[in-house]
Amino acid sequence: MEVPFYVWVGTMIGIIGLLLFDFFFHVRKAHSPTLRESAIWSSIYVGIALLFGIGVLVFGGTTMGTEYFAGYVTEKALSVDNLFVFLIIMASFKVPRADQQKVLLFGIVFALIARTGFIFLGAALINSFAWVFYIFGLILLLTAGNLLKPDAHDDDGDSLIIRLAKRLLPASEHYDGDKLFTIENGKRVLTPMLLVMIAIGATDILFALDSIPAIFGLTQNTFIVFTATAFSLMGLRQLYFLIDELLDRLIYLSYGLAVILGFIGVKLILHALHENTLPFINGGEHVEVVEISTGLSLGVILGVLVVTVLASVLSPKGRAKNAISGAKRHASEYLDLNYETDMAEREKIFARLCAEEEGLRKLPEKFKRLIRNETEFMELIRTAHAEHDAALEREPRG
């Protein structure tokens, strides 16, 4: 189905409007968003994406609607996986939490621009050369194999992109708020904020190399590819702050995504065989193969994600990681309290921390080794206890 030009224009205006709203009302003033704020706005952006999908279903028909939802779910799942890498980059550059929002919004805007270019390039190639489906399918199968490696997310924070950014663009050692440039020893120099934005942007380009072929494996409708990709990126900033301490618990996410990408890769190769024009395959004639419907694809994608999340959440290893991230989150939350914070609120947060610590003490020894940067983690816990003791001493005695 051909999408009218005015629908394209209206959709673009809506997406740009959402990005501008996000910047002026949330990101412009640096702050660390609360869990409640992140949850509300994540829900709003997901709601907007679902409403848009319902609109596609009503006005575009069942096929377009199903393709949109299959593409959106796949791209959203891949974007969650990408947050692991964002965490590593943020940690490597030691970005202050209050300034992380601007970095993430830049990453979203850059990803949207870069992926739009990839989408139209991919659409042009597909329209001219049917054999491109073979390449897309192979890319997805290789990506799936890479995700099955046990160390898929075990990065030391010093990836090639990060090393190049630090080496080629020397900058000051210190941040100056969220400024990209600052004055140091009378000279105008880059700040680490600009470097981390470059690292995030370059990483987004690499992400597009598997996400774009994945969605083209579900639909060749350029409008659906673009909107599903755009709406999957919307709200990614809020999602980061909502689940940044819980990502470690999704221990089987990479395996689930490997299955999904592998499945779509096979689907693409089957489609390539069906549309075959290569002379060395079946004499350049189409190959009679079974093609996988979009409805079946959506069912497989949703099924794999549900099984992956449940397996992660219910497994002993997943529960152990949740206890670790919970203790870290509550310790950080306690240390972020203002000096004047009511003692009742302090006690409530501290009680949660103590409960998490009790759970950690009961963990089998093999799960305690899951704590990353154990020395730093234990120091955080000790600092929170010391701060609580100091708060008790400041409290007027009755």
Side-chain angles (χ1 to χ4, degrees), residues 342-390:
D342 179 73
M343 197 62 200
E345 179 65 18
R346 286 182 173 277
E347 289 287 4
K348 186 167 63 174
I349 298 172
F350 189 73
R352 292 173 186 162
L353 171 60
C354 291
E356 298 288 359
E357 287 183 83
E358 183 62 29
L360 287 177
R361 280 191 283 270
K362 294 178 180 178
L363 289 178
E365 196 60 39
K366 63 178 181 179
F367 291 137
K368 292 180 181 178
R369 292 195 293 270
L370 295 173
I371 300 174
R372 290 182 180 177
N373 303 317
E374 186 173 355
T375 302
E376 182 182 322
F377 174 81
M378 296 307 298
E379 181 60 31
L380 179 68
I381 300 296
R382 281 194 292 269
T383 304
H385 276 268
E387 176 60 30
H388 186 66
D389 291 340

Side-chain angles (χ1 to χ4, degrees), residues 9-280:
V9 173
T11 302
M12 295 291 288
I13 291 173
I15 290 171
I16 293 171
L18 286 173
L19 290 171
L20 290 175
F21 174 84
D22 209 14
F23 176 76
F24 286 107
F25 290 94
H26 291 110
V27 175
R28 194 175 187 182
K29 183 179 180 181
H31 72 285
S32 182
T34 63
L35 189 65
R36 181 174 180 272
E37 177 188 340
S38 299
I40 289 173
W41 283 103
S42 292
S43 301
I44 289 173
Y45 278 108
V46 170
I48 291 172
L50 294 179
L51 285 174
F52 184 87
I54 292 172
V56 172
L57 194 65
V58 171
F59 296 104
T62 304
T63 300
M64 280 186 69
T66 306
E67 288 177 350
Y68 169 82
F69 282 113
Y72 173 74
V73 171
T74 300
E75 292 297 303
K76 199 68 174 178
L78 287 170
S79 70
V80 171
D81 189 57
N82 295 345
L83 290 180
F84 282 99
V85 182
F86 287 170
L87 279 172
I88 293 168
I89 293 175
M90 295 282 194
S92 175
F93 285 95
K94 297 180 174 62
V95 182
R97 189 170 176 83
D99 296 323
Q100 290 178 4
Q101 294 198 91
K102 181 168 283 190
V103 174
L104 289 168
L105 184 61
F106 166 82
I108 291 169
V109 172
F110 187 89
L112 195 52
I113 294 171
R115 294 184 192 199
T116 299
F118 278 117
I119 287 168
F120 284 104
L121 176 61
L125 288 172
I126 286 170
N127 289 332
S128 302
F129 311 103
W131 51 262
V132 169
F133 285 113
Y134 287 114
I135 297 177
F136 281 3
L138 182 60
I139 289 172
L140 293 184
L141 291 175
L142 290 174
T143 303
N146 189 55
L147 285 172
L148 289 174
K149 294 178 181 178
D151 59 348
H153 289 301
D154 290 346
D155 195 313
D156 63 358
D158 199 25
S159 68
L160 175 62
I161 290 173
I162 294 173
R163 291 199 303 270
L164 286 175
K166 289 179 176 178
R167 182 178 300 174
L168 300 178
L169 298 168
S172 65
E173 294 291 327
H174 308 288
Y175 287 88
D176 186 4
D178 57 5
K179 294 178 182 177
L180 304 182
F181 298 90
T182 188
I183 303 298
E184 195 172 84
N185 299 324
K187 294 182 179 180
R188 184 178 173 85
V189 295
L190 307 176
T191 69
M193 181 63 69
L194 183 58
L195 294 190
V196 71
M197 285 186 173
I198 292 171
I200 291 282
T203 305
D204 277 326
I205 293 177
L206 296 180
F207 289 157
L209 296 179
D210 57 54
S211 69
I212 298 305
I215 194 167
F216 269 119
L218 298 168
T219 176
Q220 284 80 61
N221 186 312
T222 308
F223 180 76
I224 297 300
V225 172
F226 171 75
T227 52
T229 301
F231 282 112
S232 72
L233 292 171
M234 293 287 139
L236 189 60
R237 177 182 62 78
Q238 292 85 352
L239 187 64
Y240 173 90
F241 288 99
L242 181 63
I243 66 173
D244 66 339
E245 296 292 350
L246 302 178
L247 278 172
D248 277 348
R249 194 176 181 185
L250 299 176
I251 55 176
Y252 299 122
L253 180 62
S254 290
Y255 300 110
L257 289 175
V259 172
I260 291 171
L261 292 180
F263 171 79
I264 298 174
V266 170
K267 182 178 186 293
L268 271 172
I269 291 176
L270 288 174
H271 183 71
L273 289 169
H274 186 267
E275 301 291 327
N276 180 62
T277 57
L278 294 178
F280 54 85

